Amino acid sequence: MALKAVHVSNVPNLDQVPESPSVALSSARLPKGAKVVRPPWKAAAFTVLGHRGSGMNALESPDRRMTAVKENSLLSFNRAASFPIDLVEFDVQVTRDGCPIIFHDDMVLTEENGNISERRVTDLYLEEFLSYGPQRENGKVGKSLFRKAKDGRVLSWIVEDDDSFCTLQEAFQRVNSHIGFNIELKFDDYIVYREEELAHALEAVLQVVFEYANDRPIIFSTFQPDAAQLIRKLQSIYPVFFLTEAGTETFEDVRRNSLDEAIKLCSACGLQGIVSEVRGVFRNPSTIARIKDSNLSLLTYGQLNNVPEAVYMQHLMGINGVIVDLVKEITEAVSDFTRPATEEGEEQIKEGTRPKFSQRELSFLLKLIPELVQY
């Protein structure tokens, strides 16, 4: 589908963003395009975004779909683009020499002399970063790749269809142009950043975006509250969404700990939407109305978004879209339950893809879900 705008609803006018003197000075170094306001895009009925392309790699999972293709790679992005999705979500960090690259984890692990060693990604020069994993140059062997699982185990990063690491510029140049990008601005959760450090990284990302984005749909998102505010001040073209765990995890920065705090941040900083852990929304479904009343869009992420029934419930609840790993399965389900009914009824819709609830059953489910997702 050819998109001409970011798939978010009710995006406010993007040219009314006050700049502080320090930010205005920094933004003067950005391309002239940074100050050109494009018309806000209209939302699709329901938006599907591919998580890290066609899905994250969960190396510990017995589900082979979670290790089918290397996450955050050109191969993964283009594979996701073969399905009816709107955008791919991916993580961007900036190397020591100022190049925006696509990689999720704070650390990259390899094996050296029989021992596992790790380096902080943002401490690497671009050439060092690209030396890990599969190499594009024939005959060249990259460093082995490992990854820490949530339980602390260090696992060999092996997938069925592997691919090289890539830069943000390469993604713009080599990924199907009809697919939008949800660019997550990645920062370490446990580092306190100075404004100059954030600005350095964000300006590097914006330089690439303004040079190569053309008409591609773009959304920025980040868990870092100050980065969310700063990227909004540095540019007034693309929507900025605040990512939140919505209380499913707790951080020292209270702005990260609830949907109510996310609403306050977005309203204060002129952001356009929230991306919430889906369990946080299911635990507090009443916040959806408050988010809508604040003229904000709402997307969700999390493992429950790989369950068609959970996605369908979000569609009924008025959530704008979902970030998913199982792109094929969820796009098929969304296509079925968002398809208008035929005159003969629902016979043409695949059996079981659109759950049928009476109003009473739906009301019961909405009350029950918060209890079910507490743990």
Side-chain angles (χ1 to χ4, degrees):
M1 60 189 75
L3 305 180
K4 293 298 181 183
V6 171
H7 282 197
V8 293
S9 64
N10 301 320
V11 175
N13 191 341
L14 300 183
D15 61 352
Q16 299 175 359
V17 186
E19 291 189 347
S20 67
S22 62
V23 174
L25 179 64
S26 299
S27 62
R29 297 196 294 270
L30 295 174
K32 292 182 179 179
K35 297 181 182 296
V36 177
V37 178
R38 298 178 184 175
W41 293 345
K42 298 297 182 182
F46 193 73
T47 302
V48 178
L49 302 86
H51 187 210
R52 305 181 199 173
S54 60
M56 66 176 287
N57 294 152
L59 303 180
E60 69 279 13
S61 174
D63 189 338
R64 293 182 58 184
R65 294 173 297 182
M66 304 303 289
T67 53
V69 60
K70 175 67 75 57
E71 69 175 38
N72 277 336
S73 67
L74 300 177
L75 178 62
S76 186
F77 302 148
N78 282 314
R79 185 166 298 181
S82 66
F83 298 98
I85 65 169
D86 302 291
L87 304 98
V88 288
E89 179 272 352
F90 54 76
D91 312 276
V92 171
Q93 304 184 59
V94 176
T95 61
R96 188 172 183 178
D97 48 346
C99 182
I101 51 90
I102 300 177
F103 190 74
H104 174 270
D105 300 355
D106 297 321
M107 302 288 182
V108 60
L109 282 66
T110 191
E111 186 176 24
E112 296 178 332
N113 301 319
N115 298 312
I116 298 296
S117 65
E118 62 180 17
R119 299 278 305 278
R120 182 172 294 279
V121 173
T122 52
D123 286 342
L124 299 174
Y125 291 97
L126 176 61
E127 184 177 1
E128 292 178 291
F129 172 73
L130 295 178
S131 70
Y132 290 84
Q135 301 293 292
R136 294 186 186 143
E137 185 179 334
N138 289 334
K140 189 174 182 180
V141 178
K143 297 178 182 178
S144 59
L145 270 177
F146 291 80
R147 193 177 207 180
K148 281 186 179 178
K150 288 186 176 181
D151 61 8
R153 288 179 297 158
V154 175
L155 305 174
S156 183
W157 199 335
I158 298 174
V159 296
E160 185 176 335
D161 291 333
D162 214 339
D163 197 15
S164 307
F165 287 168
C166 67
T167 66
L168 179 60
Q169 178 179 330
E170 288 175 315
F172 278 114
Q173 293 174 321
R174 299 178 59 184
V175 174
N176 191 314
S177 61
H178 84 272
I179 288 296
F181 287 170
N182 172 192
I183 299 174
E184 180 184 337
L185 305 163
K186 193 78 176 176
F187 297 94
D188 192 310
D189 288 335
Y190 302 100
I191 291 179
V192 177
Y193 292 90
R194 301 190 309 272
E195 180 176 316
E196 309 86 76
E197 295 173 308
L198 294 174
H200 172 74
L202 298 180
E203 288 171 2
V205 172
L206 287 173
Q207 288 281 356
V208 173
V209 171
F210 287 122
E211 184 168 355
Y212 295 100
N214 297 317
D215 292 328
R216 189 189 297 271
I218 304 292
I219 296 173
F220 288 116
S221 64
T222 183
F223 284 103
Q224 221 290 346
D226 297 321
Q229 181 176 3
L230 189 55
I231 192 71
R232 188 67 185 90
K233 290 180 177 178
L234 284 172
Q235 61 85 41
S236 56
I237 298 177
Y238 301 109
V240 179
F241 281 48
F242 181 56
L243 273 157
T244 178
E245 291 85 354
T248 59
E249 295 183 49
T250 303
F251 297 86
E252 289 188 10
D253 190 331
V254 296
R255 295 174 295 178
R256 297 189 56 177
N257 289 340
S258 71
L259 281 168
D260 285 330
E261 287 292 336
I263 294 170
K264 286 165 53 178
L265 178 73
C266 290
S267 299
C269 300
L271 309 188
Q272 283 71 48
I274 295 170
V275 185
S276 173
E277 217 290 348
V278 61
R279 290 175 299 159
V281 177
F282 278 155
R283 290 176 183 177
N284 301 283
S286 63
T287 58
I288 297 175
R290 294 202 295 277
I291 290 169
K292 299 297 182 182
D293 289 344
S294 300
N295 200 27
L296 298 170
S297 296
L298 176 61
L299 307 175
T300 66
Y301 72 93
Q303 292 185 0
L304 280 175
N305 282 356
N306 295 319
V307 180
E309 291 79 5
V311 173
Y312 182 60
M313 287 299 300
Q314 293 178 71
H315 169 64
L316 295 178
M317 294 164 72
I319 290 170
N320 297 101
V322 290
I323 300 173
V324 308
D325 295 302
L326 303 183
V327 172
K328 177 179 183 294
E329 291 80 356
I330 298 303
T331 53
E332 286 179 354
V334 169
S335 176
D336 287 333
F337 67 63
T338 58
R339 184 183 305 151
T342 64
E343 291 183 3
E344 293 78 16
E346 301 293 332
E347 288 78 11
Q348 295 185 17
I349 296 177
K350 293 180 182 178
E351 184 68 24
T353 56
R354 179 185 290 183
K356 296 180 180 179
F357 302 116
S358 68
Q359 189 60 44
R360 183 177 180 181
E361 290 170 331
L362 180 58
S363 177
F364 172 76
L365 285 171
L366 290 175
K367 292 178 181 177
L368 178 63
I369 284 175
E371 301 297 327
L372 294 177
V373 297
Q374 287 301 316
Y375 302 101

